[in-house]
Amino acid sequence: QQDSMQQQYFAKIQQTAMSLHEQHHTVDQITGKRVSFGVVRVANIPPCVALSQYLISADWPDGFAPRVMAYHSRQILLLRHVQEKHMDAVLKRKEASGETAQAFSNPTIRQHLDSTPDSDVLFIVIATPVEEVGRDHDFDWAIVEPSSYRSIIQLAGRVRRHRSAVV
């Protein structure tokens, strides 16, 4: 019973991530692929890991290529340092409107975009509250597990943080 509830919850997060990607992607000028950077904020580490595993092994529609990374405080310190350095570089996003996203010139991101035949690439960070502390990241979209107002407001500040809103 509990497992099927969690599976349904994770499936809804997957569907919502695809919907938000559809609405808030950027087109890579080199490949023409639709790309988005999203964050799913969960309250605790076990669901962070479980959701990451679910999204990695889930069936995605044809054309969708998710790239999933778990980000939490119990990560091995050296790995967490590498993750933070990578995210700090990729999620700076201070380009002007219409300018090519800096993230697309990052070698790791470029490798993912150039090596997949899929037309939609979703970079998804599954994070615990560690994402809310001292990080200057700018995501295209976010999904937040219901929690404190303060936490929701903190995460909202991570969406389109460095870019002016285009409606």
Side-chain angles (χ1 to χ4, degrees):
Q1 177 76 17
Q2 182 65 23
D3 278 353
S4 76
M5 289 281 291
Q6 186 177 54
Q7 295 294 309
Q8 290 175 32
Y9 179 57
F10 289 173
K12 185 63 177 172
I13 290 172
Q14 179 187 8
Q15 292 168 358
T16 304
M18 287 187 294
S19 175
L20 289 169
H21 166 78
E22 292 278 343
Q23 298 169 44
H24 303 288
H25 65 270
T26 301
V27 175
D28 174 30
Q29 294 179 349
I30 295 172
T31 62
K33 294 174 183 174
R34 301 185 322 166
V35 182
S36 70
F37 296 87
V39 61
V40 179
R41 218 289 269 134
V42 295
N44 301 304
I45 294 169
C48 173
V49 173
L51 176 58
S52 298
Q53 291 171 332
Y54 174 88
L55 293 175
I56 288 167
S57 63
D59 287 332
W60 291 78
D62 287 347
F64 279 83
R67 300 296 185 256
V68 179
M69 181 174 72
Y71 176 49
H72 57 78
S73 61
R74 277 195 238 144
Q75 190 63 270
I76 296 167
L77 203 52
L78 182 60
L79 178 57
R80 185 168 153 199
H81 172 74
V82 171
Q83 285 180 309
E84 289 174 345
K85 189 175 175 184
H86 173 71
M87 288 191 300
D88 289 349
V90 169
L91 298 171
K92 210 168 238 112
R93 318 288 299 275
K94 294 192 180 193
E95 60 271 354
S97 182
E99 189 179 27
T100 301
Q102 295 173 359
F104 294 169
S105 62
N106 176 278
T108 303
I109 299 300
R110 193 75 257 151
Q111 193 272 330
H112 282 289
L113 296 177
D114 295 341
S115 67
T116 180
D118 297 298
S119 57
D120 286 274
V121 183
L122 295 78
F123 291 95
I124 307 171
V125 176
I126 312 300
T128 61
V130 71
E131 174 57 39
E132 299 168 4
V133 181
R135 309 272 33 115
D136 190 20
H137 298 157
D138 181 339
F139 293 95
D140 294 312
W141 52 266
I143 299 170
V144 61
E145 186 175 67
S147 57
S148 72
Y149 285 116
R150 192 176 142 267
S151 179
I152 293 169
I153 291 166
Q154 278 285 52
L155 191 67
R158 301 282 184 269
V159 177
R160 299 193 60 82
R161 180 181 189 95
H162 298 138
R163 299 165 288 155
S164 59
V166 177
V167 181

